[in-house]
Amino acid sequence: MEIVLPLIVKTKVTIGSFQHLTPILFALGFTIYLIKYSRKNFSLLQKQKAVHYLGWLVSATLICFHIYRIACDNYNFKTDLPLYLCSLMALLIPIFTYYRKYWMFEILVFWIIGGTLQAVITPDITKGFPSFDYFRYWMVHLGLLAIIFYFIFELKMKPTLKSVFKSFLALQVYVLIMVGLNYILDANYFYLNEKPKSASILDYFGEWPFYILVVQLIVIPLFLLIYLPFRLKKKNS
């Protein structure tokens, strides 16, 4: 019992803690193993099915979490709907893993690496292991990264320079939709109406609406930075 109790820590996850690093290392090992195993043992059809099943696992985890919250918690439609970018991607990821359209990849590769990776490095989880929220958070964020890296390294999809701007334009569509939903729901999804109450990187970008403009200016350089390794690899090949 003394061995088990230290691992059950229902407190906010801090950067660099055991609760932070363990799921990252597990997901990294799982993704590498899945790619290597697929490369040696799977046909193309089996690879496509494997990543599709992973997509459904990520999406099902999110759906079950929200059903649980609606049934057993004080669910607030103004704050708790899966409309934040990572949650929305997790909800829709089976569509991408089933159809595997290149235009979908062009959008998601930058959204997932740019947005989800930041959430992995600086986790925002109020209840740690073994809460449902803890498992939901890591399954969504690390699962999305595993899927996009599988498409890159095993299904050989690569973005182009045009993909950077297509992804940026798609992000503007998402923002406009969120503006409309925020108005209808009197909500603040994607923090478009005000900054989060807790400390965040947005605190360094000025007050509303200036922090939104600053974020918009940062997005394209961030996407270009994500694209840079693909460009360098193409140039050296």
Side-chain angles (χ1 to χ4, degrees):
M1 181 64 71
E2 288 80 6
I3 297 175
V4 175
L5 283 176
L7 300 180
I8 302 176
V9 189
K10 277 195 171 183
T11 56
K12 184 176 176 65
V13 176
T14 56
I15 297 174
S17 66
F18 182 83
Q19 294 187 87
H20 179 204
L21 298 180
T22 300
I24 295 174
L25 293 174
F26 176 82
L28 180 62
F30 169 79
T31 305
I32 293 172
Y33 175 79
L34 178 62
I35 290 172
K36 287 187 174 181
Y37 186 86
S38 298
R39 193 163 296 170
K40 290 181 180 180
N41 299 284
F42 285 176
S43 65
L44 177 60
L45 180 60
Q46 288 173 319
K47 293 175 184 178
Q48 293 170 347
K49 285 185 177 180
V51 76
H52 185 50
Y53 294 151
L54 182 56
W56 268 118
L57 179 61
V58 170
S59 188
T61 301
L62 182 70
I63 292 170
C64 289
F65 174 76
H66 282 273
I67 291 174
Y68 166 78
R69 286 285 315 281
I70 291 171
C72 304
D73 205 351
N74 296 321
Y75 198 84
N76 188 340
F77 287 90
K78 291 185 178 182
T79 58
D80 298 333
L81 289 173
L83 296 177
Y84 290 99
L85 195 56
C86 290
S87 293
L88 188 61
M89 287 191 292
L91 192 64
L92 300 176
I93 198 68
I95 298 174
F96 169 58
T97 57
Y98 180 78
Y99 289 104
R100 301 177 301 279
K101 297 295 185 180
Y102 182 68
W103 68 266
M104 295 181 183
F105 172 80
E106 289 183 290
I107 294 170
L108 290 176
V109 66
F110 297 103
W111 286 15
I112 291 176
I113 296 178
T116 306
L117 192 58
Q118 179 271 331
V120 169
I121 295 171
T122 57
D124 182 19
I125 315 171
T126 55
K127 292 183 179 180
F129 181 89
S131 69
F132 198 164
D133 188 40
Y134 179 84
F135 287 104
R136 184 273 317 170
Y137 187 93
W138 291 119
M139 178 59 73
V140 165
H141 294 93
L142 294 174
L144 287 172
L145 285 169
I147 288 168
I148 207 66
F149 285 133
Y150 191 90
F151 271 88
I152 292 169
F153 291 106
E154 194 55 34
L155 297 180
K156 307 302 182 184
M157 282 192 175
K158 303 291 188 294
T160 65
L161 183 58
K162 288 183 180 179
S163 304
V164 171
F165 300 99
K166 289 180 182 179
S167 187
F168 177 77
L169 289 175
L171 185 62
Q172 307 315 301
V173 174
Y174 165 78
V175 169
L176 289 175
I177 293 173
M178 288 303 103
V179 168
L181 287 175
N182 282 338
Y183 178 79
I184 293 170
L185 299 172
D186 188 25
N188 186 36
Y189 288 105
F190 211 49
Y191 305 116
L192 292 172
N193 293 332
E194 64 175 328
K195 292 184 288 188
K197 301 297 183 182
S198 58
S200 75
I201 193 172
L202 296 181
D203 294 332
Y204 298 97
F205 297 162
E207 298 302 319
W208 185 92
F210 298 107
Y211 69 85
I212 298 175
L213 299 176
V214 173
V215 170
Q216 293 283 55
L217 292 174
I218 291 174
V219 168
I220 288 185
L222 174 62
F223 284 4
L224 287 171
L225 186 62
I226 295 169
Y227 171 68
L228 183 60
F230 297 99
R231 177 65 179 176
L232 293 176
K233 188 176 186 302
K234 181 178 179 181
K235 194 173 182 180
N236 294 330
S237 61

